[in-house]
Amino acid sequence: MDSYKLLITGGIPLMGETYVSGGKNTSVAVIAATLLSDEICVLENLPDIEDVHVLIDILRDLGAQVEYQPEARRLTVDPRGVNSCKVPYRQSQRMRASYYMLGALLGKFGQAEVGYPGGCSIGARPVDQHLKAFRAMGAEVKERGAKITAKGKMVGNSVVFDRITVGGTINAMLAAARAEGNTVLYNAAREPHVVDLANFLNSMGCRVKGAGTDTIRITGQKKLHGSTYTVIPDQIETGTLMIAAAATRGDVVIHGCIPTHMESLTAKLLEMGVAVSDMDDAIRVRTVRGHRAVNIKTQEYPGFPTDLQQPMSAMLTRASGDSVVIETIFESRFKHLMEMRRMGAQVQILDQTAIIQGVSELYGAPVTATDLRAGAALVIAGLMANGVTEIYEPGYIERGYEHIEEKLRALGADIRREPLEEG
Ligand code: EPZ
């Protein structure tokens, strides 16, 4: 249980300029990929967030030499001292992306033992497609107790994913990067972080083609050299800030983002009546009139991202009319809306569909974050509500948003921490 809660006094339109940090989901993939190198790698623009800290702990436990400069957003990894292929459960359950250690260790050393991954509780989240890809490349994979062990020389092969999986695609790319011969991944995920990982692997001398389409071809290399690489800005943080600006009827310019990654969200905001203007690497969001209700269906990239469904559905609770939100990726991603009922939100939830009847006012109430994006959604709810919202378990938010409280305060938000009383 977190030792503090967040207090937000809502009703203040966010105004001003802000910036986006490096991508969480790209950083966790690229950090794991440094293990594949035979030389030192330097990663730039990493966000200073809990998930990055956990992976650094894991790299150090494996024997890598790691220098982390959070203020410079820089991580230097020398993987030459790695002397273990085991990530124990106590480490792996601290985050979801610990499963990338399977692909990276298997790719480099032909063996890996990794405890089951943890991460946000948003559904069952099986890893069968990851394991299927490892097996196709020649690994013998066992799931016993709370760990997965995989062993075998990686040999390139074709893998047809039964469903689109970001983690499965990335893990297969990691395992294939040093495999003997060619690997072809069909029905691959097309998310920006898949492309970023491909670019990083290519910068180390790998040959990855087709990332960003549904067919990725990887020619494995015997050796991979060191690289200095800058990770892309966080698509989901950009979207969260865009929604926060719109939801508070504010006017915010978000610098350092990639507007083309935001097209599905931008289209929905425009449909709601929000003004969105794209610049080269910035987006301005402002509300010029009331918001109309819209329907959302989450899909793989380039569709509407599940990670923005929660912030977006929080905003829709105050749109004019009824919105239907269908969550197709994860089973259990509406817990924030259940919490928001206490703030006056009118919501019906039927399995993976939420029907939201917009209300003219939300009011502050105590609510609990149950996962990272639920936490972000509740922050947005608090910013919209009249009165004071207390958010319990805000530590989830730190796992994925760098300095979010400071960024929001700089835009005028009244958000602060308060220690929890003992007992
Ligand atoms: C990644 O999770 C992200 N996490 C998630 O970010 C994001 O919500 C998700 O992709 C979808 O975009 C990281 O990048 C670390 P998937 P991942 O494999 O890889 C099912 C956030 O808030 N599936 O694309 O776990 C799975 O259960 C988060 O930042 C299988 O059935 O997602 C889900 O229903 C949370 N078998 C769907 O596929 C498998 O082997 C998509 O999952 C793998 C997945």
Side-chain angles (χ1 to χ4, degrees):
M1 190 163 158
D2 292 334
S3 59
Y4 70 97
K5 62 184 172 185
L6 281 183
L7 293 183
I8 300 177
T9 305
I12 305 169
L14 297 184
M15 294 284 176
E17 308 203 5
T18 189
Y19 66 95
V20 174
S21 301
K24 168 181 92 81
N25 289 342
T26 196
S27 294
V28 292
V30 164
I31 291 173
T34 60
L35 285 177
L36 290 164
S37 173
D38 296 299
E39 295 169 0
I40 294 173
C41 289
V42 181
L43 301 178
E44 313 259 7
N45 198 35
L46 287 183
D48 181 16
I49 53 171
E50 184 58 20
D51 275 10
V52 165
H53 303 169
V54 173
L55 270 183
I56 290 172
D57 287 349
I58 292 177
L59 288 185
R60 287 195 171 124
D61 283 359
L62 292 173
Q65 193 97 40
V66 179
E67 191 196 340
Y68 180 45
Q69 298 161 279
E71 319 73 43
R73 310 286 184 274
R74 185 181 302 119
L75 178 72
T76 306
V77 181
D78 183 347
R80 287 173 292 194
V82 171
N83 53 16
S84 164
C85 291
K86 293 186 184 176
V87 179
Y89 181 69
R90 101 188 124 72
Q91 291 287 36
S92 66
Q93 55 78 39
R94 291 171 69 196
M95 70 182 300
R96 187 75 193 159
S98 54
Y99 56 27
Y100 291 148
M101 292 296 152
L102 275 170
L105 289 167
L106 194 56
K108 175 87 168 277
F109 302 106
Q111 54 175 310
E113 180 182 305
V114 178
Y116 267 104
C120 287
S121 60
I122 50 179
R125 309 188 77 177
V127 291
D128 57 302
Q129 297 301 303
H130 305 228
L131 306 188
K132 167 179 158 159
F134 299 150
R135 287 188 175 113
M137 287 182 244
E140 192 190 324
V141 182
K142 288 188 190 145
E143 296 180 83
R144 293 252 169 85
K147 66 185 181 208
I148 301 170
T149 48
K151 207 172 177 179
K153 179 177 159 43
M154 293 293 93
V155 178
N157 201 348
S158 294
V159 179
V160 184
F161 289 111
D162 298 324
R163 64 172 298 167
I164 299 174
T165 152
V166 175
T169 302
I170 287 177
N171 240 337
M173 289 165 74
L174 294 170
R178 295 187 63 139
E180 187 182 301
N182 297 323
T183 298
V184 188
L185 306 177
Y186 295 101
N187 200 24
R190 292 183 281 166
E191 265 67 4
H193 31 298
V194 171
V195 179
D196 211 33
L197 174 66
N199 289 339
F200 178 52
L201 292 173
N202 285 337
S203 77
M204 291 196 283
C206 194
R207 282 179 58 207
V208 184
K209 289 184 180 166
T213 75
D214 60 6
T215 305
I216 302 178
R217 293 168 202 279
I218 304 140
T219 306
Q221 305 294 314
K222 282 206 172 75
K223 285 191 171 300
L224 292 177
H225 56 73
S227 165
T228 296
Y229 189 78
T230 303
V231 302
I232 54 169
D234 198 301
Q235 174 205 4
I236 305 303
E237 188 200 2
T238 307
T240 305
L241 291 168
M242 289 169 73
I243 293 167
T248 58
R249 316 286 208 254
D251 185 350
V252 174
V253 179
I254 302 159
H255 292 280
C257 58
I258 301 180
T260 48
H261 289 169
M262 306 314 305
E263 277 166 5
S264 60
L265 173 64
T266 298
K268 280 294 161 191
L269 291 177
L270 293 172
E271 201 181 320
M272 290 180 75
V274 177
V276 182
S277 7
D278 289 358
M279 291 156 255
D280 278 352
D281 65 346
I283 297 181
R284 180 179 177 194
V285 176
R286 72 205 147 93
T287 287
V288 283
R289 52 177 174 270
H291 295 161
R292 288 185 289 272
V294 293
N295 298 331
I296 304 279
K297 186 174 180 184
T298 62
Q299 277 166 335
E300 296 85 5
Y301 189 84
F304 194 93
T306 171
D307 294 346
L308 288 177
Q309 177 270 107
Q310 290 158 295
M312 185 72 173
S313 51
M315 172 161 73
L316 290 174
T317 62
R318 269 193 55 204
S320 132
D322 292 357
S323 302
V324 178
V325 179
I326 303 175
E327 172 56 62
T328 71
I329 310 289
F330 292 109
E331 301 99 46
S332 184
R333 236 179 172 179
F334 288 136
K335 290 178 191 156
H336 61 295
L337 290 176
M338 298 185 201
E339 291 293 303
M340 282 184 66
R341 283 181 177 146
R342 237 173 286 133
M343 301 174 72
Q346 295 286 327
V347 186
Q348 275 176 278
I349 297 170
L350 306 161
D351 300 325
Q352 284 169 242
T353 301
I355 299 164
I356 301 171
Q357 274 177 284
V359 292
S360 56
E361 187 195 9
L362 293 176
Y363 36 85
V367 289
T368 301
T370 51
D371 63 80
L372 165 63
R373 308 298 172 192
L378 293 175
V379 168
I380 287 167
L383 294 172
M384 289 193 290
N386 292 328
V388 179
T389 298
E390 295 171 40
I391 303 181
Y392 291 86
E393 301 303 324
Y396 280 112
I397 305 167
E398 283 171 48
R399 290 191 29 209
Y401 291 93
E402 180 182 69
H403 306 164
I404 189 72
E405 293 159 54
E406 290 83 344
K407 286 185 185 180
L408 292 173
R409 264 197 296 275
L411 294 172
D414 183 344
I415 176 168
R416 62 197 162 86
R417 292 179 179 207
E418 192 172 274
L420 290 185
E421 286 149 28
E422 303 239 335

